[in-house]
Amino acid sequence: MEYEKVKPPEQGEKIEYEDGKLKVPDNPIIPYFEGDGIGKDVVPAAIMVLDEAAKLYGKEISWFKVYAGEDAYRLYGKYLPDDTINAIREFRVALKGPLTTPVGGGFRSLNVTIRQMLDLYANVRPIYYLNGVPSPIRHPEKVDMVIFRENTEDVYSGVEWPRGSEGALKVIKFLADELGVNIREDSGIGIKPISEFATKRLVRMAIQYAIDNNRESVTLVHKGNIMKYTEGAFRDWGYEVAREEFGDVTITETELWENYGGEAKGKIVIKDRIADNMFQQILTRTDEYDVLAMPNLNGDYMSDAAAAMVGGLGIAPGSNIGDGIGVFEPIHGSAPKYAGQNKVNPTAEILTGALMFEYLGWKEASEMIKKAVEKTIQSGIVTYDIHRHIGGNLVGTREFAAEVVKNLQNL
């Protein structure tokens, strides 16, 4: 493939995708971009750790630097150049830093654009506790959830028109004339599509993940009591997937109690919860929830709230997964006021890299990274965000990553 302003490394091999599975060489080429704000601090720190973990695991990554965000605009005159999208398509797995999205006007979210252009339909965010991290809840060790958030639809589809625009007025008129629905003329209008196709492939991935990782339950989180034909349909289609495609290994919560006496006996329990109730459930009945599947907006809110339970966005990894393609990014934003200060916590980006290793099939290396990060924090070597709560030895972004590397070497 030809690139305009970047060149893939001469060393390394492509990751391939055959028969529904990744074929990962020992020396994969992996594109990465630092993004905006603190991305320039945390991504290089993470790569330092990932390189060491890969080496200890007998692998070697050939990194391919590409651009998105402000750097890309300076180089290409656009925030998301074709080179970057083409590189991810060609090499299949990428590591990214945070990208700034303006509130209100300005360009559309680059994160959402990347997900939609590459059909990265599942935003997968594991939420788990690292010993030593300060938490606002009494028993953070009970938190061990994996959130599957649908990534391409819902209000994030970007189909909307501003107040008073020709598009908004046309939609308002159509609804009034054709369907008898009256909406105030000074309204902005947005469309919330939720399809059977997108719902089922997300829930299918969530259930398969539960099977592959010996998880006990999958909970469908929705607001179907109010939005019956979008979020309510999400719930119904989710149960259909479980029943029709995984009926031999799943049971509903009702069946659990009526037919199994409350003992799942190796079956994965499929249940559902109303979204607002789920926010209290993850706090009051934390250990009853395992894998969660939900529409886009619910997933955005829920994953941030769950991350707060284990110490905040600074330690929360994330990923965007499609069929044979994945882009890995931390949950946190670009925090431009801290950019370039060698101050922020790189843990989220480091653990995002660990999640990427897990996706590549390098599970032992992924676990090594988690243990080394946890050991570093437990030893009291921490960045400012944790230091202000528990004290210890205050270090910068690079120094924290260097300490994680030392702990990797001594596991």
Side-chain angles (χ1 to χ4, degrees):
M1 184 176 290
E2 294 294 323
Y3 293 92
E4 181 185 355
K5 294 182 182 290
V6 293
K7 183 180 179 181
E10 295 181 2
Q11 304 298 319
E13 300 178 47
K14 290 183 184 179
I15 296 169
E16 305 288 350
Y17 184 63
E18 295 179 7
D19 300 323
K21 293 184 179 180
L22 289 178
K23 294 181 66 177
V24 182
D26 289 340
N27 57 337
I29 297 171
I30 296 182
Y32 78 98
F33 54 92
E34 296 174 348
D36 297 321
I38 59 171
K40 292 175 177 54
D41 298 279
V42 298
V43 172
I47 286 176
M48 184 193 315
V49 174
L50 297 177
D51 280 341
E52 183 64 22
K55 183 177 73 173
L56 292 170
Y57 191 59
K59 313 291 185 182
E60 182 178 7
I61 298 170
S62 293
W63 295 102
F64 177 13
K65 187 171 185 178
V66 294
Y67 298 87
E70 296 290 346
D71 281 351
Y73 190 80
R74 285 189 286 269
L75 185 61
Y76 292 87
K78 57 176 70 173
Y79 290 100
L80 185 60
D82 292 342
D83 275 357
T84 299
I85 295 298
N86 290 337
I88 299 170
R89 281 202 180 105
E90 182 175 6
F91 296 102
R92 297 201 167 272
V93 173
L95 180 71
K96 71 179 283 293
L99 292 168
T100 298
T101 300
V103 176
F107 58 85
R108 189 163 169 245
S109 168
L110 298 180
N111 295 315
V112 172
T113 301
I114 291 169
R115 295 166 190 168
Q116 293 184 341
M117 290 183 72
L118 297 169
D119 200 23
L120 304 171
Y121 59 84
N123 183 235
V124 184
R125 294 178 170 181
I127 311 292
Y128 52 87
Y129 180 63
L130 296 173
N131 285 320
V133 176
S135 165
I137 63 174
R138 185 173 296 173
H139 292 292
E141 71 280 358
K142 292 183 178 181
V143 181
D144 186 10
M145 295 177 270
V146 183
I147 293 174
F148 281 75
R149 165 192 172 195
E150 202 289 317
N151 231 1
T152 65
E153 297 189 324
D154 202 350
V155 292
Y156 287 71
S157 62
V159 183
E160 60 177 355
W161 299 272
R163 166 188 178 266
S165 67
E166 181 182 359
L169 295 175
K170 279 185 177 180
V171 173
I172 291 169
K173 187 176 188 304
F174 172 81
L175 291 173
D177 294 347
E178 301 295 327
L179 299 175
V181 176
N182 293 312
I183 294 177
R184 295 184 181 92
E185 286 194 358
D186 61 350
S187 298
I189 301 292
I191 304 296
K192 178 189 175 75
I194 290 183
S195 71
E196 180 178 0
F197 173 81
T199 296
K200 285 188 171 180
R201 67 178 179 175
L202 176 85
V203 176
R204 185 179 297 119
M205 184 183 284
I207 295 174
Q208 189 61 56
Y209 178 91
I211 294 169
D212 293 342
N213 293 275
N214 298 314
R215 296 282 182 157
E216 296 179 355
S217 68
V218 176
T219 304
L220 308 169
V221 183
H222 60 91
K223 193 63 179 167
N225 56 331
I226 303 300
M227 292 170 277
K228 300 180 186 299
Y229 306 119
T230 51
E231 302 215 6
F234 178 93
R235 169 193 181 274
D236 295 343
W237 291 325
Y239 276 118
E240 281 183 22
V241 170
R243 182 175 63 251
E244 295 173 2
E245 301 181 26
F246 300 94
D248 57 332
V249 294
T250 65
I251 56 174
T252 66
E253 194 171 26
T254 300
E255 290 169 336
L256 172 68
W257 295 104
E258 291 184 355
N259 302 337
Y260 288 78
E263 296 291 333
K265 298 178 181 177
K267 302 278 188 177
I268 294 169
V269 180
I270 309 297
K271 47 193 174 182
D272 74 276
R273 296 290 184 270
I274 301 297
D276 48 326
N277 178 47
M278 191 65 204
F279 276 101
Q280 68 162 338
Q281 291 280 306
I282 61 174
L283 286 168
T284 59
R285 300 190 174 191
T286 307
D287 50 4
E288 293 182 17
Y289 297 99
D290 203 340
V291 176
L292 311 177
M294 61 197 77
N296 209 331
L297 183 61
N298 292 339
D300 199 357
Y301 293 155
M302 196 70 64
S303 55
D304 278 17
M309 296 167 64
V310 294
L313 301 184
I315 60 166
S319 62
N320 301 283
I321 306 296
D323 293 327
I325 188 167
V327 175
F328 293 79
E329 62 179 350
I331 292 181
H332 64 68
S334 58
K337 71 177 182 179
Y338 295 118
Q341 298 180 26
N342 189 41
K343 180 177 181 179
V344 296
N345 190 344
T347 295
E349 191 77 48
I350 293 170
L351 295 180
T352 292
L355 185 58
M356 182 180 75
F357 277 13
E358 184 177 331
Y359 182 69
L360 295 176
W362 301 356
K363 290 190 176 182
E364 292 179 15
S366 176
E367 289 302 316
M368 287 167 56
I369 294 169
K370 294 176 190 176
K371 289 177 182 177
V373 170
E374 188 171 56
K375 185 177 178 181
T376 303
I377 295 170
Q378 284 184 299
S379 71
I381 297 174
V382 293
T383 49
Y384 84 99
D385 54 316
I386 294 178
H387 182 269
R388 65 187 177 184
H389 294 291
I390 63 172
N393 183 6
L394 175 63
V395 297
T397 308
R398 290 188 296 272
E399 291 73 23
F400 181 85
E403 192 65 26
V404 175
V405 168
K406 287 182 186 177
N407 285 324
L408 273 170
Q409 295 166 342
N410 295 311
L411 285 177

